[in-house]
Amino acid sequence: MRVLVAGATGAVGRQLVPCLEAAGHEVVGISRRGPRPVDVLDAEAVRRAVAEAAPDAVVHQLTDLGGADGAANDRVRVEGTRNLVDAAREAGVRRIVAQSISWAYAPGDAPADESVPLDPTEEPPRSRIVAGVRALESAVAELPEAVVLRYGILYGPGTWYAPGGAVAAALAGDPGARFLGSTAADGSVGSFVHVADAAEAAVRALGWPPGAYNVVDDEPAPGHAWLPVLAEALGVPAPGRTEGRAPWARGAVNTRARTLGWAPARPSWRTGFADQGR
């Protein structure tokens, strides 16, 4: 299969391209940087890139997280996805696999499966984040063979959670550390996934039925459980435990993806945090 990877130089994209090639696919990668620079917010540039690639499928791994600017990332989700979907449709592409997130679900007590609706909140900034996710998933669904991968919090090479990254700096007390997330050791539950496992899911998703899939590890956990383990792996101080929990911070389950053959090579952050360079 000829696959166009949009966001080929990102944390997942760098893992994904060689995985696709190893699986026998022909890969064309585009990103803002690299040999094929394309600004996803430039609709005409995206249209040309997709037309020239003439792919059988598109894999959308586009983000704008380098500056830890949530509004910029939301714009990529909304406008960038719109441009990519329009270009794919014009090029006759039927199948798209797109990166989404697993923490946009409505509040609840248990980890969410894919039947849980997206959060209807009207309170910013979460309302803006969820609106971007909703726009991304809605646009992608316009193609007849659309697969949405709702990733957990990404860790591993190239992420904020890697050794020497922004989270390590924040835990070490650097006031200039910038990332989108929390270092509160409270009861808010999150689900993680290593970037290599996220990439493997994207390869497999080229053959999955249309729909949404949580791509997370096997152990949703509160901040007071995972933060000390991360801090130890990064060699920085662990924050003190605090009370409270964001109602929407419930984690997610990966049962649906597992039934189709995907399983995380790093099933838990407990061992995965210390294994981030691999």
Side-chain angles (χ1 to χ4, degrees), residues 42-211:
D42 182 338
E44 179 58 24
V46 175
R47 186 195 66 78
R48 287 196 306 269
V50 176
E52 291 171 5
D56 301 303
V58 169
V59 179
H60 172 352
Q61 298 287 347
L62 294 162
T63 60
D64 187 354
L65 296 170
D69 183 338
N73 196 50
D74 293 336
R75 188 180 180 197
V76 167
R77 284 186 179 140
V78 177
E79 297 178 32
T81 302
R82 177 78 273 156
N83 292 339
L84 188 63
V85 168
D86 288 348
R89 183 192 299 108
E90 186 175 330
V93 177
R94 294 179 55 83
R95 175 157 289 263
I96 187 168
V97 175
Q99 175 185 147
S100 187
I101 59 174
S102 65
W103 58 92
Y105 288 114
D109 294 327
D113 65 21
E114 296 85 353
S115 69
V116 175
L118 297 181
D119 195 341
T121 182
E122 296 182 358
E123 295 184 10
R126 181 161 171 81
S127 58
R128 187 199 70 225
I129 295 168
V130 178
V133 170
R134 187 174 284 110
L136 180 153
E137 295 191 1
S138 177
V140 165
E142 294 173 13
L143 296 185
E145 299 174 14
V147 175
V148 169
L149 303 180
R150 292 174 174 166
Y151 289 154
I153 302 168
L154 292 166
Y155 71 97
T159 70
W160 288 320
Y161 294 80
V167 174
L171 290 173
D174 180 356
R178 298 184 62 190
F179 69 101
L180 302 178
S182 173
T183 56
D186 62 9
S188 297
V189 176
S191 285
F192 285 87
V193 66
H194 191 281
V195 285
D197 288 326
E200 176 63 23
V203 175
R204 290 177 176 268
L206 288 170
W208 287 355

